[in-house]
Amino acid sequence: MEQKKNTILLVGLFSFLLGLVPMARAQIPQWEKCERFIEPASEELLDPEPRGPVDVTADQVESEKEGISIFSGDVKFRRRGQWLDADEVHYDKPNNTVKAFGDVRYQDATVDVISDSAKVNLETDIGVAENARYFLRDYHARGEAAEVEREGSAKSELQDATFTTCDIGDNAWQLKASQVSLDHEEGVGWARHARLKLWDVPILYAPFLRFPIDDRRKSGFLVPSVGSSSNSGVDISTPYYWNIAPDRDATITPRYLSERGPMLEGELRYLNPRNQGKIQGSILPHDDRKGDYRGAFSYQHTGSPWSRWFTNLDINLVSDDTYFEDLGNSLSIASTTYLNNQLDVSYQGEGWYALGRFQGFQTIDRTIPGFSRPHQRLPQLLVDGFFPDRFLGLDLDFHGEVVNFQRDALPNGVRLDLWPTVSLPFRTPGTFFTPSLGVRDTRYFLDDTPPGTDNTVSRTLPVFSIDTGAVFERSLSLWGSRLRQTLEPRAYYLYIPFENQEDFPVFDSAPLDFYFARLFQPNRFTGADRLNDANQLTLAVTTRLLQSSTGDELLRASIGQIQFFRDRKVTLPGFPEETDSSSSIIAEMAARLAPEWSLRGELRFDPHQERADLGSAELRYRGKGGSLLNMGYRFRRQLLEQVDISGRYPITKNWSVVGRWYHSIADDRLLEVLGGVEYDSCCWAIRLVGRSYITNIEGDRNNSVMVQLELKGLGNLGQNVESLLRRTVLGYGEQF
């Protein structure tokens, strides 16, 4: 009957609770350690958009005078996406109101509500629920309210309300307020007499609290950060978030360092349809330790002003050469030598790419002499193109570049580099054969050359190569699994005639590090200032073990070497000619030993000196429950030898220890050590970490102790220890 169907509009009364969902959106943690509040009674409830006909059942239906109908005895309203149960429902047709009594329960895709009674006006959509309990399944949040009143879809009022993300029976933390007002149109809420309790102990009181209730950003103070380090003493930050506009925001952070003084940091972000960027800055007016002003500035911008056009801007500046040592927070930042400043404008065509660049550097280590500092590119113009399957199946490749190199110390000048290449690939399902021929023409127009010397030099050389290989497969069975093994031999011949290049300047060239992929590259130098002479043959082979059913790679191992048919005379200043008849042997391997274990390694062996020049090995374990182990070893002859061990070990269901030990064997120096303990439960976590790391080449250290209390679904108190652990402990925070 019609009045039965209309009664389903009672569910609108309970939709006020949906306004509480965004309170947990500030942070959406994982809820693996939590118990489900209430399981959905039906898969139909998971439909996020209620629709379809309404079904109403009741043990008894009575019609009284003056248009009141009474449904009693296990009253059930059913609609796809919405369910409502009650012991008794009164429908007042003349006043268009509905009252529900006795174990009133509402369910939809995200929320469960239980209350003693409810009343709603179906015409004005104003309703009240008494003694309501709510459960937000997706965000694992729950709470209670003595009374909830909703004024249509715009506003809601909650009296004596609570909110927590803890399991039922566990109120490790709870937010209480005598009154909560929710403005759904503006996306904000107000709480009066708000109290935050930890284990029933009040730790925070606010007579008036404003907070967001949806994804729209709101201005206001963020959670303060407190820490301590040997470099700066007690460190207190109180960030303020400013929602300037839908496409712009800023964070202003007053910061106090007890041993250095007050500091101000800021960040401005913007996001437009065709560009986005971030501006960051910091200022310490007077460093009590250094006795001077300190500051930093950075600006990153990327955009696409027109179709196929792209821009990139990267500006970075600091006030002094020890800024990162004193005020940075990681080993890698503290060891920064140069800061990049760059503007790029590029165009992406059909098979080709063009780039215009202005690039300079700020040298942080001012002890570096001028002739060792990098050149600025003012400007650089670059064009790359690849056009496959052209006339007679030819592949055409082109590289062109012109750069104006400038710095305080000579040499300076313009370099023009053109390198067209044509190749003819032959391919079958199991083989390939690709001969290539290119010509590289490089010309220099130098500034301020000594008297009697030519200010223009040039080089034009052919580059010929043949790249060929095959793939063989066989099936086998190991450890009860059907596998497929491949054998992939490859040969690469390269010929480039010799030309004396000693008079050529060195603007941006350096020796390429020698690794497996380098076996198949035509030049052993970066940049265009040197083009090696070559008459050589690379022989390499790769084998793989693949899971037959899925194609997953279980093992990959490669080994290769270059055979030289003549000495290599082209070198960089200070490097001797290379006369060995063959290169070092390069081997690399990656294996998945088990679902939780992986192994990766690399070795560079010099057969002439019968010694290893470079090696690395990394063993990783990823266990269930968040257990981690990373064991790494790196070796480079006469340069470094390091061991890096990090991991996380769960002691119990909730307690874990975490740590890192990063040691330099070459000079017997501990680069970084970190150790801590964390407790992680359903709705809260605490992390305590001690850390010490080297900040400069002299071996000065920064020691600190950090603590973070995380109230899941609400926010963090203390320093961001979790972010630090993600940077220093490989795999921390990743899902298995």
Side-chain angles (χ1 to χ4, degrees), residues 536-554:
Q536 63 193 49
L537 176 66
T538 297
L539 297 175
V541 64
T542 297
T543 184
R544 308 172 197 265
L545 277 180
L546 308 173
Q547 193 82 41
S548 295
S549 57
T550 63
D552 291 343
E553 186 178 83
L554 305 181

Side-chain angles (χ1 to χ4, degrees), residues 370-376 405-412 506-507:
F371 61 84
S372 296
R373 298 183 181 185
H375 282 82
Q376 301 181 87
F405 291 102
Q406 297 293 323
R407 70 178 179 189
D408 293 337
L410 296 176
N412 293 321
V506 179
F507 289 141

Side-chain angles (χ1 to χ4, degrees), residues 413-668:
V414 175
R415 184 185 70 198
L416 174 65
D417 183 45
L418 304 176
W419 192 352
T421 301
V422 60
S423 58
L424 182 60
F426 298 95
R427 299 181 183 90
T428 70
T431 63
F432 67 91
F433 178 83
T434 306
S436 298
L437 177 62
V439 176
R440 189 167 197 180
D441 182 82
T442 308
R443 300 178 182 274
Y444 294 85
F445 308 91
L446 304 177
D447 302 335
D448 301 323
T449 57
T453 61
D454 196 349
N455 65 346
T456 62
V457 292
S458 64
R459 174 195 68 211
T460 303
L461 291 171
V463 180
F464 174 71
S465 67
I466 298 176
D467 192 5
T468 184
V471 179
F472 303 98
E473 292 187 2
R474 68 165 181 165
S475 298
L476 71 159
S477 180
L478 289 176
W479 309 296
S481 298
R482 294 194 58 80
L483 306 175
R484 189 169 74 253
Q485 182 186 15
T486 70
L487 186 66
E488 306 168 28
R490 183 178 178 184
Y492 177 77
Y493 175 75
L494 176 67
Y495 177 80
I496 304 173
F498 167 75
E499 181 172 332
N500 192 330
Q501 302 169 41
E502 292 180 354
D503 295 335
F504 285 33
V506 179
F507 289 141
D508 62 356
S509 286
L512 274 170
D513 200 6
F514 192 51
Y515 51 95
F516 188 78
R518 244 281 294 136
L519 295 170
F520 310 98
Q521 292 181 354
N523 195 12
R524 67 177 188 271
F525 303 102
T526 63
D529 300 320
R530 293 293 185 271
L531 178 60
N532 55 237
D533 55 325
N535 186 8
Q536 63 193 49
L537 176 66
T538 297
L539 297 175
V541 64
T542 297
T543 184
R544 308 172 197 265
L545 277 180
L546 308 173
Q547 193 82 41
S548 295
S549 57
T550 63
D552 291 343
E553 186 178 83
L554 305 181
L555 171 70
R556 181 182 71 255
S558 303
I559 188 169
Q561 186 183 33
I562 302 176
Q563 301 296 320
F564 300 111
F565 303 126
R566 71 177 184 208
D567 296 342
R568 279 77 61 215
K569 299 180 180 180
V570 177
T571 64
L572 288 167
F575 289 81
E577 294 183 5
E578 298 183 9
T579 59
D580 292 334
S581 60
S582 61
S583 72
S584 296
I585 299 173
I586 299 291
E588 61 180 24
M589 181 270 292
R592 193 181 73 182
L593 307 177
E596 301 88 358
W597 290 92
S598 64
L599 177 65
R600 188 180 298 270
E602 179 184 12
L603 178 66
R604 189 170 76 198
F605 181 79
D606 186 345
H608 307 285
Q609 300 293 329
E610 296 184 347
R611 67 185 186 186
D613 289 335
L614 178 146
S616 67
E618 181 186 69
L619 180 66
R620 299 181 65 185
Y621 172 78
R622 297 290 178 274
K624 296 181 179 179
S627 55
L628 306 169
L629 177 63
N630 306 300
M631 302 179 66
Y633 172 80
R634 291 178 287 275
F635 162 78
R636 190 181 291 266
R637 180 166 297 280
Q638 297 181 341
L639 186 62
L640 63 84
E641 187 176 8
Q642 299 173 346
V643 174
D644 191 353
I645 302 174
S646 63
R648 178 179 184 267
Y649 182 72
I651 302 173
T652 66
K653 178 183 177 182
N654 301 111
W655 287 96
S656 300
V657 292
V658 63
R660 185 191 190 193
W661 186 72
Y662 186 20
H663 183 75
S664 173
I665 301 175
D667 50 9
D668 192 23

Side-chain angles (χ1 to χ4, degrees), residues 5-19:
K5 294 182 179 181
N6 288 338
T7 313
I8 193 60
L9 296 177
L10 175 63
V11 299
L13 168 65
F14 297 101
S15 62
F16 62 82
L17 288 167
L18 298 178

